[in-house]
Amino acid sequence: MKKIICFLMITAFISSCEQPEVGYISDNIHALQDTITVPRGVFMSSVPPAVEGSTYPIEWKITGITDKDGKPSTELQEEHEILIWKKSFDPTTDTTLELAMKKLELSKRASILMNPVSGEFIFTQATKFVVKNNFNINISAKNVRGERQLDKFTHVKLGPFNAVEFPNATRVQTQFVNQTTGALTGALDYQVVNQFDPKIPNVLNGTDKYFSVKKVSDEPKLGIKVKMIVADSKNTPIAPSKVIFFVNGGATLANFHDNTITPEISANGTTFALPAPPFPQYSRTYRDPNDLNRFLMYYLTTNDAYTFDRAAFEAEKGVKPDSFYAPFKDANGNIVVRGYIRWAIKINDSGTYELTMRNPYTIKK
């Protein structure tokens, strides 16, 4: 009996000396994006993977890439020289081109990187140089408990390079101004809703009735200049002094003037500059880099910028009685209108661009 008790005590002692298992690594670590669609030439990141309770920290690494036919490919990992921001542009401190350029560097980068801590994929502007469109990404995930090799972890699909994007709605509106109350009534609200709006080809080739975005020069080669032209319905530009900021609730809404290097003013427009795309780079109003609202830039025209083209308005909207216009007439009997302008574009390429906004039913004074 003593021998049995002694044996049980020794067994218990040995068991108590065994180290408990440390950590956990799941067999179900997976990407939350089965396919990551990446516009060529644009910086973007993916969402982190699902780790299903695996113990942190986890070390992530790309272990191989294959093309759509399963053949090994190095295209996404080949390095190309691109211009990158080392720090975020801030117009409060980066008040000259020279100061802003100190935050830039020409550097060789691969098209795809993987954050070794978070597991996010990072895609750089070097994707502009990649020829093939579809890739499968193999990775490994490693923690204190072990390592998982995860082949075909996610699929990467490269889309076309869009020099100009429309991440939110670009809008133009001509507004009647009530001369007693100051209230505004829209004569027409026109929008390019987003990147999939069928009007975009016409905006880019200059045939849209109210908007146009066109590249006029390949210079500067690395930087970007954007000229904003606000015009009447006949496409006659008004003076930049007639284009003012939109003040709402005592605060000035986001605008190109506040978000770029000191603008250059000419007789028919205002030119904004940055030492590198994308444009705009920054927003005082919307600071989250993932917030598509940060591309919204607001302007108004003064009440004396235009006369109202009643004939054009009624040709489209139908004849209106004089009583309809009475609240909007000034002491001289003129119908008072103003323009409302909201840009929501992103330009990803270098060079010089012209943005033209034409206010409906207006004639330059």
Side-chain angles (χ1 to χ4, degrees):
M1 185 69 176
K2 288 183 179 179
K3 289 182 180 180
I4 294 173
I5 294 173
C6 182
F7 175 77
L8 291 174
M9 291 176 63
I10 293 171
T11 302
F13 175 76
I14 293 173
S15 298
S16 67
C17 292
E18 290 180 357
Q19 294 296 319
E21 291 186 354
V22 177
Y24 169 72
I25 187 165
S26 173
D27 290 325
N28 191 33
I29 294 173
H30 62 275
L32 292 176
Q33 294 169 282
D34 292 334
T35 298
I36 306 172
T37 302
V38 181
R40 274 181 168 83
V42 175
F43 179 90
M44 66 168 285
S45 61
S46 70
V47 298
V51 300
E52 301 298 338
S54 298
T55 304
Y56 286 102
I58 301 174
E59 180 184 339
W60 304 90
K61 184 170 63 175
I62 296 174
T63 56
I65 299 176
T66 59
D67 63 17
K68 66 181 181 65
D69 298 318
K71 297 178 181 178
S73 173
T74 59
E75 267 201 275
L76 288 178
Q77 294 168 303
E78 292 170 1
E79 294 186 340
H80 300 274
E81 193 171 59
I82 57 174
L83 193 62
I84 61 172
W85 290 93
K86 295 181 291 184
K87 296 181 180 179
S88 298
F89 171 76
D90 184 349
T92 305
T93 55
D94 304 330
T95 53
T96 67
L97 198 61
E98 291 72 24
L99 287 171
M101 288 182 69
K102 291 180 180 179
K103 293 185 173 181
L104 290 164
E105 70 175 3
L106 275 171
S107 180
K108 286 194 171 183
R109 290 286 189 273
S111 296
I112 188 172
L113 307 168
M114 191 174 198
N115 188 316
V117 176
S118 69
E120 295 168 283
F121 292 107
I122 309 298
F123 299 92
T124 74
Q125 295 90 329
T127 52
K128 186 177 179 180
F129 303 101
V130 176
V131 176
K132 292 181 179 179
N133 297 326
N134 293 279
F135 301 90
N136 291 309
I137 313 298
N138 306 327
I139 73 159
S140 68
K142 181 180 179 181
N143 69 2
V144 67
R145 184 63 180 160
E147 185 172 2
R148 295 284 184 267
Q149 175 62 36
L150 305 167
D151 292 338
K152 294 185 178 180
F153 182 71
T154 192
H155 180 78
V156 170
K157 181 179 180 181
L158 296 184
F161 174 62
N162 292 313
V164 181
E165 292 183 85
F166 296 80
N168 211 319
T170 292
R171 298 175 59 191
V172 62
Q173 187 178 70
T174 297
Q175 300 171 333
F176 293 111
V177 183
N178 189 299
Q179 295 301 285
T180 302
T181 66
L184 303 166
T185 302
L188 177 71
D189 185 81
Y190 184 82
Q191 301 187 45
V192 172
V193 178
N194 55 31
Q195 190 65 25
F196 308 102
D197 195 306
K199 294 188 285 290
I200 287 178
N202 292 338
V203 172
L204 298 178
N205 66 25
T207 60
D208 187 81
K209 192 172 183 178
Y210 300 112
F211 303 139
S212 68
V213 179
K214 64 178 180 179
K215 187 173 186 178
V216 296
S217 172
D218 289 331
E219 296 293 335
K221 291 291 186 184
L222 296 178
I224 184 168
K225 289 187 175 183
V226 177
K227 184 175 184 179
M228 181 178 70
I229 300 168
V230 178
D232 67 9
S233 60
K234 313 296 183 185
N235 205 33
T236 304
I238 62 174
S241 60
K242 303 292 185 181
V243 182
I244 59 176
F245 299 150
F246 191 135
V247 179
N248 185 30
T252 300
L253 299 185
N255 57 79
F256 293 141
H257 286 74
D258 285 347
N259 298 332
T260 55
I261 304 300
T262 305
E264 299 174 8
I265 300 173
S266 64
N268 66 346
T270 305
T271 300
F272 308 97
L274 280 171
F279 173 93
Q281 183 72 234
Y282 177 93
S283 173
R284 294 185 193 278
T285 307
Y286 306 102
R287 304 299 293 272
D288 183 351
N290 297 313
D291 186 354
L292 296 182
N293 289 331
R294 70 194 178 98
F295 297 104
L296 302 180
M297 302 289 158
Y298 296 86
Y299 291 93
L300 301 171
T301 67
T302 57
N303 291 353
D304 63 349
Y306 302 121
T307 58
F308 183 63
D309 190 343
R310 179 173 176 175
F313 176 70
E314 294 188 347
E316 292 188 5
K317 301 294 185 180
V319 176
K320 306 292 183 184
D322 286 342
S323 60
F324 173 85
Y325 300 104
F328 316 123
K329 288 185 177 180
D330 62 17
N332 298 317
N334 299 312
I335 301 169
V336 180
V337 294
R338 75 171 188 183
Y340 164 88
I341 295 155
R342 188 179 85 174
W343 291 106
I345 66 166
K346 180 187 176 192
I347 301 177
N348 296 313
D349 204 6
S350 58
T352 299
Y353 291 78
E354 284 186 356
L355 315 182
T356 303
M357 186 81 78
R358 292 172 279 275
N359 283 117
Y361 316 127
T362 59
I363 300 172
K364 178 185 175 183
K365 277 190 177 179

